[in-house]
Amino acid sequence: MKKFSATLFGLALAVCLTTLPSAAQTGTVAKGPDESVTRDPEVEKTAKRNLDAARHYFRLKKAYVASLSRAEEILVAYPDFTGTDEALYIAGMSSLYLSEKKGKQAPPTSPPDKAQEFTPERLKATARFHLSRLVENHTESKFRKDAEESLKLLGEAKQ
């Protein structure tokens, strides 16, 4: 009986392991978060509250340093959040606007490492990074078209 159970377990494990790589190769990974995954409602609620704050700073206050900070916090802390596409858009556009010296907030100039983080070249690279992730990973997003247009304006990264 033990031998039969061990064989059955080994067979089940082998079937599971052989199906995992094929799931990653089907292209479902690049479409963004899996909608069939059960999400923790408290985590979604907290992430949505942070997104609302980022959206408020971005649209109403034109405080792009604050909106960039909030959006990047969402992207790091809540990678499976359903609003990741909007957080990527806000982070990318905030970086782009800061590189163009738009908005009501000036980028920090001290300490020196903070000033280096907010140089126009670095901000454009950050914008390119976030907007590219949006275009590549969220094909159905309503922010995709704007992100593609902004990426065309940003051009290719300088080597």
Side-chain angles (χ1 to χ4, degrees):
M1 183 68 175
K2 287 182 182 181
K3 209 180 228 185
F4 176 75
S5 297
T7 305
L8 187 59
F9 176 77
L11 182 61
L13 182 62
V15 168
C16 289
L17 291 177
T18 57
T19 59
L20 284 177
S22 65
Q25 294 173 357
T26 61
T28 57
V29 176
K31 294 180 184 173
D34 185 5
E35 298 300 324
S36 66
V37 173
T38 306
R39 299 193 185 333
D40 183 358
E42 286 302 313
V43 170
E44 282 288 310
K45 186 177 176 181
T46 304
K48 180 158 180 0
R49 197 170 334 156
N50 282 333
L51 182 60
D52 290 342
R55 190 183 301 128
H56 175 76
Y57 289 134
F58 182 74
R59 291 185 184 157
L60 300 176
K61 300 275 186 186
K62 308 292 187 231
Y64 299 126
V65 175
S67 63
L68 174 61
S69 174
R70 281 293 182 120
E72 286 184 334
E73 180 182 324
I74 293 166
L75 296 170
V76 170
Y78 311 104
D80 295 327
F81 174 50
T82 56
T84 301
D85 61 331
E86 186 173 4
L88 285 166
Y89 177 76
I90 290 172
M93 294 307 293
S94 294
S95 296
L96 178 60
Y97 293 154
L98 283 168
S99 74
E100 297 170 346
K101 300 195 183 320
K102 293 181 179 177
K104 296 180 180 177
Q105 269 185 320
T109 57
S110 64
D113 59 324
K114 268 294 199 201
Q116 288 298 320
E117 191 177 319
F118 287 96
T119 62
E121 297 80 26
R122 192 83 164 271
L123 288 166
K124 285 181 183 180
T126 302
R128 203 176 286 113
F129 172 75
H130 290 304
L131 294 173
S132 295
R133 280 185 54 201
L134 169 61
V135 169
E136 292 168 8
N137 298 338
H138 299 277
T139 57
E140 302 298 321
S141 174
K142 67 181 181 180
F143 302 102
R144 185 168 192 227
K145 185 176 179 183
D146 288 341
E148 287 174 335
E149 290 174 11
S150 297
L151 281 170
K152 285 178 188 173
L153 293 174
L154 282 166
E156 293 295 318
K158 295 178 182 169
Q159 299 294 342

